[in-house]
Amino acid sequence: MAITVNRKPLSFWEKLYLPAIAGGLQVTIKHAYGSLFQGKQVTMEYPEQRWTLPQNYRGAPYLVKDQDGSTKCVSCQLCEFVCPPKAIRITPPGQDGQAADRANAEKMPKEFEINMLRCIYCGMCQEVCPEEAIFLQKDWSHIAHNRSEMIYNKEKLLALGGTHGGIQKWKHKLEEAKAQESFPVKV
Amino acid sequence: MDWNFIIFSLVKIAVVVGVVQGMVAYSVLAERKISAWIQDRVGPNRAAPPFMKYIPVLGPFLTRLGIFQPLADGLKFMFKEDFTPAGVRKIYFWLAPAIAVVPAMLTVAVIPFGSQIGNQHMVIADLNVGILYTFGIVSLGVYGIVLAGYAANSKYPFFGGIRSSAQMISYEISMGMSIIPVLLIVGNLNLSQIINWQSTHGWLVMYAPISFVIFMVASFAETNRTPFDLPEAETELVGGYHTEYSSMKFALFFLAEYSNMVASSAMMVTLFFGGWSLPFFGLDHVAGPGSLGLGIAHILIFVAKLLFFMVLFIWVRWMFPRFRYDQLMDLGWRRFLPLALVNILITAVWLYLRS
């Protein structure tokens, strides 16, 4: 069913369009003046100015080191297994490969690659990691000349990840164990 | 053979065409910048030749102003692939951009852009039928658009072409009618004489304001600018008549549109705003052979007035929504045509009673 909209008939001035034109010119020139002389532009000039990201922003996943500067990752390959787009590829050290560079760890990955073209920033790797060795950080723009450059290797991931000042799980466990050796137990 | 005349004419043609082309390039920039300011944006501010960053203050300033953007745009048009779609009518497809550009460039020939420098009158062709020539040439510009719409053999350009032709017939008449009171008042068709008349009697916009309003609105329609940009109508017709065009042929349509803007602004300045004359500081009389400074000042005054109207064209574009097809017809046939006729009558009666 058609609906009839009751519109008020236009007055003489409204029919002339001229007051409306004047009003329009006024609005536009006000905006032009504001953006020219009062710096009221809403544009953010991207590469120079960037967003302030929220604290829990989930950007690209990087490997982190602990406070002592040693690799946290123990090459358990859980993240590789859980990664939905299969962006992570871990090469384990093998039988007689390089040992871990810290105590309480058997091994560390020989190579750890994340394909940033595949990564969907879902955060599952962070969630699944038993060693808290991988964290989604605040980087969201990756620039490269070709596709192979977008595959970040272990060295690069560790350099980008930096140290993570959170819990040092094994250090804590060690302290607990030491405490248990003396009697009575103080926890 | 008058060699003097030929040489000076060629020089004037070269300079005027060069200046108009430059104005076209930079009015595209102005369009983008002004639209950005009106919409609270920044506009083009990156394009710069590599050495610009070594010039201390001026370099970054010019870059932010976007001064080099037209050069980059031009270069881009040059190097783009000139693609011809499979289904087009080849001859007309190639002909249309040329037909659009040539009239736009021809119109400026009769515009007096200054009074006199040395013994040379600052007009390329001082025709006695200046206005008639302009109207004849300007209405040819539409054929380029119609032909482009037809040649592309595709529905959207076709609509653009049809709209353009309908728009032309509804506005050309009102435009021509709106000029008649001016001609009645001045009694001359020569544009130089019209300016001379204005320099002694005052600007014609005070004698024929309704003529000016009709002429201005009609010239907005004539140049296919918003609110009458029906042939282009990006939101409805993809790109309108130039949908199928690319590279330099597309650039030619752009060139035609902006040259038309320059020409219409020049016509408005000449007919209603005293051309190169200003009513004060003794700038209103023709510069003699000796006064070089006055001659140059007149050219600058003309260019300043021209730029004002160019800015107005651009400013209006970012303010108005597009008219609907039938509204445009309504405005052309049922409002402006009777108004123009009444305007002629009133002017004639007034002139009769005064004499």
Side-chain angles (χ1 to χ4, degrees), chain B residues 165-175 328-329 331-333:
Chain B
S165 52
Q167 186 171 321
M168 196 234 350
I169 51 173
S170 52
Y171 270 92
E172 199 83 352
I173 296 171
S174 317
M175 198 179 192
L328 175 107
M329 299 288 135
L331 204 63
W333 288 109

Side-chain angles (χ1 to χ4, degrees), chain B residues 137-305:
Chain B
I137 295 294
V138 159
S139 53
L140 284 178
V142 174
Y143 290 104
I145 294 170
V146 174
L147 210 56
Y150 169 69
N153 202 4
S154 152
K155 56 195 163 191
Y156 294 121
F158 189 64
F159 274 131
I162 284 183
R163 285 182 178 196
S164 183
S165 52
Q167 186 171 321
M168 196 234 350
I169 51 173
S170 52
Y171 270 92
E172 199 83 352
I173 296 171
S174 317
M175 198 179 192
M177 293 284 189
S178 73
I179 291 301
I180 292 176
V182 172
L183 307 181
L184 286 175
I185 293 165
V186 180
N188 206 324
L189 283 169
N190 188 322
L191 289 171
S192 304
Q193 299 300 322
I194 289 175
I195 292 176
N196 285 339
W197 189 91
Q198 289 183 78
S199 64
T200 50
H201 294 76
W203 292 356
L204 270 164
V205 70
M206 295 183 287
Y207 293 86
I210 296 172
S211 289
F212 170 65
V213 170
I214 297 173
F215 188 84
M216 188 164 77
V217 175
S219 60
F220 272 92
E222 193 72 40
T223 50
N224 298 323
R225 297 286 299 180
T226 326
F228 308 111
D229 62 343
L230 291 166
E232 283 184 56
E234 283 108 344
T235 43
E236 303 158 28
L237 301 181
V238 190
Y241 58 91
H242 52 54
T243 306
E244 305 291 346
Y245 283 89
S246 57
S247 179
M248 217 51 210
K249 291 210 276 286
F250 174 74
L252 284 180
F253 279 116
F254 242 71
L255 193 75
E257 183 184 332
Y258 284 90
S259 312
N260 270 326
M261 264 167 74
V262 174
S264 315
S265 305
M267 279 303 282
M268 277 193 272
V269 169
T270 311
L271 289 174
F272 297 102
F273 286 86
W276 40 259
S277 71
L278 263 191
F280 25 82
F281 305 131
L283 287 165
D284 54 347
H285 56 83
V286 177
S291 51
L292 185 70
L294 190 61
I296 291 169
H298 279 155
I299 293 178
L300 292 180
I301 289 167
F302 182 81
V303 171
K305 288 178 180 176

Side-chain angles (χ1 to χ4, degrees), chain B residues 311-329:
Chain B
V311 171
L312 188 74
F313 264 103
I314 292 166
W315 180 11
V316 165
R317 174 164 179 193
W318 300 104
M319 185 193 96
F320 261 126
R322 188 178 302 121
F323 271 63
R324 216 169 53 209
Y325 197 45
D326 60 317
Q327 287 172 333
L328 175 107
M329 299 288 135

Side-chain angles (χ1 to χ4, degrees), chain A residues 63 111-114 151-159:
Chain A
L63 290 176
E111 188 51 274
F112 192 113
E113 288 171 334
I114 301 181
I151 301 171
Y152 287 16
N153 60 11
K154 181 181 156 193
E155 206 179 326
K156 195 169 182 184
L157 288 168
L158 280 169

Side-chain angles (χ1 to χ4, degrees), chain A residues 17 21 24-25 28-29 31-32 35-36 40-43 45-48, chain B residues 36-42 45-46 64 315-316 318-320 323 331 335:
Chain A
Y17 299 131
I21 290 170
L25 289 173
T28 43
I29 204 158
H31 277 269
S35 54
L36 249 183
K40 279 188 183 168
Q41 294 106 327
V42 293
T43 314
E45 294 185 39
Y46 162 61
E48 292 93 12
Chain B
W37 291 331
I38 285 174
Q39 295 167 353
D40 297 340
R41 293 186 287 112
V42 181
N45 63 351
R46 293 297 157 94
R64 272 202 81 74
W315 180 11
V316 165
W318 300 104
M319 185 193 96
F320 261 126
F323 271 63
L331 204 63
R335 305 287 150 87

